Amino acid sequence: MNSDSVFSTLPDDVVLNLFSKLEDDPRNWARLACACTKFASLIRNVCWKTKCRNVLPSDLVSAASSSEPPGGWSSLHKLAVCCPGLLHSGVLFENSDFGLERELGPDESYRPQSQSQSEPSSSSSSQIHQPPPPASDCAWSLYDDLYFDTVYDESESDAAVAAPENENENGGVSVGGEFRIQKRRKICRSMRSHLASGVWNLSREQGNKLLHSRFRGDCLYICDWPGCVHIEEKRNYMLFRGVFKDFKGSQVWRNIKDAKRTKVDLNCAYCACKQTWDLHSAFCLRRGFGYHDDGEPVVRAYVCDNGHVSGAWTDLPLYA
Amino acid sequence: MSTSTDNNASITQESGPSAAVQDIQKKIVVRTADGEVFNLKEEVAMEIDIIKTFFQEDSISYETVMPLPNVEGWEMVKVIEYCTKHVELKHKVDGYKERKAFQALFVQNLSTKSLLALTNTANYLEVKYLLDFLCQAVSEQIKNKDVDYVRELFGVENDFNDEEYEQVKAEAPWAHENLNNDLH
């Protein structure tokens, strides 16, 4: 038998049956999509699409429309499973604080960052240390997350500090405060985008917690708290990602356009957009998050033309 | 020197009715692409939907030899093996462990390419549970393999142009690390 001709006779539904057995680890589909255009098409138009429809909130992925979400199904799937990394969430972005300075004027408590060329993983002002080797993901097992530890213990996240804005509407999820990471989870220190730790889901509830109350009408879906946790030298970053449903119809978009905001050179982790808007300096985020004493904002978030959002929470400073 | 016509006669000398039932059971005959002929027990043959349909839909006599031009001899052997076990386990209350052990042995000496060929055959013959099992087995094999391995296995060419390929690869750089290509 000529085994070389196997694929030419292997019908699509069998190939898809095979692919469906590999859905638990997003790396498999991502690799398969690189094999040939036929596989890429199957992965994009069937696998990722079906997975999004099954996993994401139904109002986000309106089943009625057969058209692709902005950025395609690959972007949406990636949003569900992929952390933007310190890079795309703006933590390493040099100019993010200069933007604030333009908005608010000089601030005595704000000291300019000396991040310069090498990009240290935190905003320490005087230290410059080598960035970790970019190719090394830690030896973090995907299956640890899936089979052992998919839910953070939220009772642990009761704020040990007084938060200026107490957002306990939904029972105990405060901004900032301490949380305990269960020991079985290893934390990934990758700076670029990588598979996120935590549950792979997006919810509107989380989105509402991020935005200023006047944007309540907008549909922003953000991953569950605390997102992908990055423990860095100076502070911890809870990196999140999300997407607006119908971004161009949203109030946030109107706000950005009316105020004639300029984009920053931070590209989106989820699509080809090379620039994004800084939601913090556009005053789209909920008030009261404030800054750390080294000037770093407690929360930052960036949105691209397709409505993809990347950002980072940090713990609230002890003394606000 | 008893011939097959003496079957019944020799059976009555055997112990018990179950042996008799088994041997009187009808056989279905198929011929594979390489000309090999197989006699299947009826209950096993009926597990294979394409055969079942062939004989039942038009009430074709079991004397007809059904041609299976898309199936090789070795594949038929494996399919019969699996379906026979499946039928046997149907009557058992707790066959889980036995099934698992059997499945492990079943795939043991098959290369991934052979597994894939068998998958195709299971699909053609329409044996759903076998198809499912084989897809699972193949997926286990390709889990941590890189793109080149996958291409070679499925016999596909990289038909992206450079730009497209870079783009699709850049969508998930984290997917291409820590791979192994053992068990080729």
Side-chain angles (χ1 to χ4, degrees), chain A residues 232-259:
Chain A
E232 300 298 330
E233 214 172 288
K234 187 128 194 225
R235 57 180 56 97
N236 301 338
Y237 296 96
M238 280 68 79
L239 303 189
F240 60 86
R241 69 272 179 199
V243 63
F244 279 91
K245 180 178 179 181
D246 184 24
F247 181 51
K248 295 295 165 73
S250 70
Q251 283 297 99
V252 167
W253 168 249
R254 274 274 294 277
N255 188 55
I256 288 174
K257 278 281 137 184
D258 291 347

Side-chain angles (χ1 to χ4, degrees), chain B:
Chain B
M1 299 252 304
S2 61
T3 63
S4 52
T5 52
D6 277 10
N7 252 352
N8 282 344
S10 55
I11 282 165
T12 50
Q13 288 163 22
E14 300 290 330
S15 60
S18 56
V21 169
Q22 252 181 29
D23 281 337
I24 291 173
Q25 198 182 67
K26 292 187 237 174
K27 299 280 181 139
I28 285 181
V29 188
V30 302
R31 183 190 303 113
T32 53
D34 44 3
E36 229 181 302
V37 172
F38 294 87
N39 293 299
L40 286 76
K41 286 188 191 157
E42 185 185 15
E43 63 174 355
V44 173
M46 289 301 137
E47 294 289 306
I48 301 171
D49 279 357
I50 190 181
I51 296 181
K52 183 172 173 183
T53 309
F54 179 83
F55 284 100
Q56 285 187 349
E57 241 175 37
D58 295 321
S59 303
I60 293 192
S61 145
Y62 284 9
E63 283 181 13
T64 314
V65 176
M66 181 183 179
L68 294 174
N70 292 338
V71 182
E72 297 292 316
W74 71 269
E75 294 172 327
M76 201 64 218
V77 169
K78 291 304 271 183
V79 172
I80 292 172
E81 185 189 333
Y82 199 91
C83 292
T84 305
K85 191 67 178 184
H86 183 90
V87 167
E88 183 191 313
L89 288 174
K90 262 191 205 174
H91 304 305
K92 280 206 175 150
V93 172
D94 183 19
Y96 180 78
K97 269 191 187 164
E98 196 181 331
R99 184 189 301 278
K100 283 293 162 193
F102 169 77
Q103 285 176 337
L105 274 178
F106 185 83
V107 299
Q108 210 174 49
N109 294 320
L110 293 174
S111 68
T112 312
K113 281 220 172 184
S114 301
L115 270 179
L116 204 55
L118 203 52
T119 305
N120 204 11
T121 298
N123 180 56
Y124 167 73
L125 291 174
E126 297 174 34
V127 188
K128 186 167 190 316
Y129 52 80
L130 177 56
L131 175 62
D132 237 26
F133 165 66
L134 287 169
C135 282
Q136 183 65 45
V138 174
S139 74
E140 295 287 327
Q141 303 261 339
I142 68 179
K143 251 181 194 159
N144 287 320
K145 303 297 197 296
D146 68 6
V147 181
D148 288 324
Y149 177 94
V150 167
R151 285 188 188 129
E152 215 253 287
L153 173 68
F154 285 95
V156 297
E157 299 274 320
N158 176 7
D159 56 346
F160 289 112
N161 63 44
D162 287 341
E163 195 188 306
E164 285 170 337
Y165 183 68
E166 282 312 307
Q167 193 182 14
V168 71
K169 193 157 178 215
E171 279 179 7
W174 36 264
H176 300 272
E177 298 154 355
N178 296 329
L179 299 170
N180 69 77
N181 282 326
D182 313 334
L183 313 165
H184 221 289

Side-chain angles (χ1 to χ4, degrees), chain A residues 174-188:
Chain A
S174 324
V175 176
E178 303 299 315
F179 60 89
R180 180 169 57 94
I181 302 157
Q182 300 199 23
K183 292 210 170 62
R184 277 174 289 208
R185 174 187 306 266
K186 302 163 208 148
I187 304 303
C188 197

